[in-house]
Amino acid sequence: MRKRKTRQVVSVFLTAAMTISIVGCGSVDVNREEDETETLNAEIVANADELSKTSEVPKEDQNIYTADAEAAACAITDFGLRLLELGMEDENVVFPAYASLSDENVLISPLSILFALTMTANGARGETLEQMEEVFGMPVSELSSYLADYRETLPAGDKYKLSMANAIWFTADEHFTVEEDFLQRNRELFQADVYPVHFDDSALQEINDWVKDNTDGMIPEILDEISDDAVMYLVNALAFDARWQEQYFEYQVHEGEFNGADGIVTKVQMMHSSERHYLEDEHATGFLKYYADEKYAFAALLPEEGMTVAEYAASLTGERLREILTHPADAHVNASIPQFGCEYGVEMKELLEKMGINEAFNPEKAEFSGLGSSTVGNIYISRVLHKTFLAVDENGTKAGAATAVEMSAEGAMEADLVKEVNLDRPFLYLIIDCRDRLPLFIGTVETPKAP
């Protein structure tokens, strides 16, 4: 491959909340004059709206839109566990700006990350695609189908919601040509809005405002700058906000102690309740605490004495964790949860490389021809950025996530069954939906921070 002196950047972003819009078929050459940009944008959105009204999936492609839901949920759970393990092992991946906030606590949204990477993978080809599918644990076509169906059927009510949004910004630079099929597929599957723009300060503000709006302000920004060489950003936003099914009364919340893994005892506000679903395996005990209408739940797993959270997480597989979550025992659980919050940021490139995605990050070997092309060099992933926010208190839980894939161009129970689960030392927790038991968020608490 011929070396290039100039480098361009394509950034693919994802987070979590809800929005829409994209295109048709073929290739869109964005070598246009500045005064034609608005016309191009109008044409793209008009084509997308027309397609969404009239197009049907060709019979030969209908298998793309069916997937084994259990296999997909298991793959996503396993993917999240592996990332969590690696994140706990490597302190260097934490964003410097977030390091003082997150400390040793880890929080990721497997759902957000996979939405971002799956949208990206829809433009991957060859060995690059194969490696991504190996790490995902299933073909991209099936994962895309599952995620698209999942997003369409999210339950929402007055006291709970999980919202998502997707959008694509790409430059009107004459050196970059975007594949319209790529845009069309992400519009069709993920309802992504499309914005052809000039990448300047106003575009930076527009993207960050979109992320802030679609995470209900929990992720104020995802970008600190737009590189001079940037050509595309694909963004997903995710926001979770739910009240407890049974909220805590004042007498149920009082000061307690949390014993950190480092031996430090921290004063915390402990929330005490009686729950009815008990979780257990060989090395941990836990419980489910439901949010309103039991559409979502907070799942906690407390490792046995002498076992760290990292050691416990390493002992789990996606299949095993799903078995624990989907088969809780009916029991009376005296449960205690500390009030806590977390803000976390992580650069995931090294973690994903350790998991097996290598060629996608290689400027010479990456194959993203299905996404677009640049006259100044080969397109590859340069960074994968992930930010999360979570607050758990007596009223419920709020959580948000954002993931950015930056791509560059080279150039009824028995009365005697009573359990005690006191989360007064490091524990693993998840926020799951109660239909698929999918981990929306998965994290660890080594030292609780005030929400």
Side-chain angles (χ1 to χ4, degrees):
M1 179 179 295
R2 187 155 55 97
K3 299 272 185 180
R4 311 275 183 161
K5 293 183 179 179
T6 307
R7 292 200 167 196
Q8 290 186 317
V9 178
V10 182
S11 294
V12 181
F13 274 71
L14 288 160
T15 52
M18 197 160 187
T19 306
I20 307 174
S21 208
I22 220 166
V23 260
C25 303
S27 294
V28 177
D29 188 345
V30 293
N31 183 8
R32 307 208 178 208
E33 298 296 332
E34 183 173 346
D35 59 0
E36 294 180 323
T37 300
E38 292 185 5
T39 301
L40 174 60
N41 190 15
E43 290 175 355
I44 289 173
V45 175
N47 289 342
D49 290 342
E50 185 64 26
L51 280 166
S52 65
K53 294 175 183 177
T54 63
S55 296
E56 292 185 8
V57 179
K59 289 184 178 180
E60 62 269 24
D61 290 339
Q62 287 181 359
N63 65 322
I64 291 176
Y65 299 88
T66 61
D68 184 330
E70 176 58 30
C74 187
I76 293 171
T77 303
D78 194 66
F79 176 84
L81 270 174
R82 285 180 290 156
L83 273 181
L84 181 73
E85 292 170 42
L86 290 170
M88 286 187 287
E89 291 175 2
D90 194 346
E91 298 178 356
N92 297 321
V93 300
V94 176
F95 284 158
Y98 269 38
S100 62
L101 297 174
S102 60
D103 292 328
E104 65 272 32
N105 298 330
V106 177
L107 175 64
I108 62 172
S109 171
L111 199 62
S112 173
I113 296 166
L114 277 174
F115 261 99
L117 290 176
T118 303
M119 290 181 71
T120 309
N122 276 312
R125 300 292 184 267
E127 183 65 22
T128 299
L129 177 59
E130 291 177 13
Q131 287 186 354
M132 296 181 82
E133 291 182 327
E134 179 69 24
V135 171
F136 295 162
M138 64 187 305
V140 166
S141 60
E142 293 186 12
L143 182 57
S144 294
S145 171
Y146 178 84
L147 292 176
D149 291 343
Y150 186 84
R151 195 194 68 80
E152 290 287 337
T153 58
L154 290 172
D158 294 337
K159 296 181 179 180
Y160 56 91
K161 76 166 186 177
L162 173 64
S163 57
M164 298 185 200
N166 300 300
I168 299 175
W169 284 264
F170 65 90
T171 181
D173 188 293
E174 63 181 3
H175 299 297
F176 178 69
T177 301
V178 65
E179 287 293 329
E180 191 172 334
D181 284 346
F182 173 77
L183 296 178
Q184 163 63 19
R185 184 159 180 77
N186 281 321
R187 161 82 164 91
E188 185 178 90
L189 287 167
F190 305 116
Q191 301 294 294
D193 283 321
V194 171
Y195 304 102
V197 297
H198 291 284
F199 279 179
D200 52 21
D201 289 343
S202 63
L204 174 65
Q205 189 65 45
E206 180 180 335
I207 295 172
N208 282 333
D209 285 348
W210 185 91
V211 168
K212 182 178 180 179
D213 289 345
N214 286 288
T215 58
D216 296 341
M218 289 180 283
I219 308 295
E221 65 176 34
I222 191 68
L223 291 174
D224 57 352
E225 65 176 0
I226 290 183
S227 167
D228 292 338
D229 300 322
V231 296
M232 182 181 286
Y233 291 93
L234 288 83
V235 186
N236 160 275
L238 183 155
F240 177 80
D241 189 352
R243 301 180 72 84
W244 299 118
Q245 172 88 335
E246 296 181 2
Q247 295 187 44
Y248 294 90
F249 292 101
E250 186 176 351
Y251 72 85
Q252 293 176 294
V253 183
H254 51 79
E255 188 175 80
E257 295 183 344
F258 187 94
N259 303 283
D262 56 6
I264 297 177
V265 177
T266 305
K267 296 293 184 181
V268 296
Q269 290 297 305
M270 294 294 291
M271 304 181 296
H272 304 272
S273 63
S274 295
E275 307 303 334
R276 54 189 173 83
H277 281 149
Y278 178 68
L279 305 176
E280 184 179 32
D281 75 349
E282 183 181 358
H283 298 295
T285 58
F287 58 88
L288 293 176
K289 182 173 180 62
Y290 293 96
Y291 296 103
D293 290 350
E294 298 190 7
K295 301 299 184 182
Y296 301 97
F298 178 91
L301 288 166
L302 182 69
E304 63 189 1
E305 291 278 3
M307 173 178 274
T308 67
V309 175
E311 290 170 340
Y312 177 62
S315 74
L316 291 171
T317 63
E319 182 178 5
R320 178 57 184 149
L321 181 55
R322 283 191 57 74
E323 183 179 341
I324 295 169
L325 296 174
T326 57
H327 296 92
D330 292 336
H332 180 95
V333 186
N334 293 324
S336 300
I337 306 174
Q339 292 185 0
F340 69 96
C342 182
E343 291 182 74
Y344 185 72
V346 59
E347 158 61 89
M348 310 203 83
K349 176 184 174 181
E350 292 182 13
L351 306 186
L352 292 168
E353 286 179 326
K354 289 179 179 179
M355 291 174 70
I357 297 179
N358 296 294
E359 289 207 356
F361 296 102
N362 190 312
E364 297 184 356
K365 294 183 178 181
E367 294 183 53
F368 285 101
S369 58
L371 181 150
S373 61
S374 172
T375 61
V376 300
N378 190 41
I379 295 173
Y380 68 101
I381 299 176
S382 56
R383 292 191 300 170
V384 178
L385 311 176
H386 185 57
K387 288 185 178 182
T388 53
F389 169 93
L390 180 135
V392 177
D393 61 21
E394 67 274 19
N395 297 311
T397 301
K398 291 184 178 182
T403 309
V405 181
E406 181 178 277
M407 307 187 71
S408 302
E410 186 181 13
M413 58 194 67
E414 298 177 16
D416 60 344
L417 187 57
V418 177
K419 302 291 184 180
E420 295 275 347
V421 182
N422 186 13
L423 303 180
D424 62 353
R425 50 188 170 84
F427 61 93
L428 173 74
Y429 69 94
L430 307 91
I431 295 175
I432 62 173
D433 75 273
C434 295
R435 182 191 64 189
D436 293 359
R437 291 296 200 269
L438 199 67
L440 312 177
F441 291 85
I442 181 170
T444 63
V445 174
E446 299 283 353
T447 303
K449 307 294 182 182

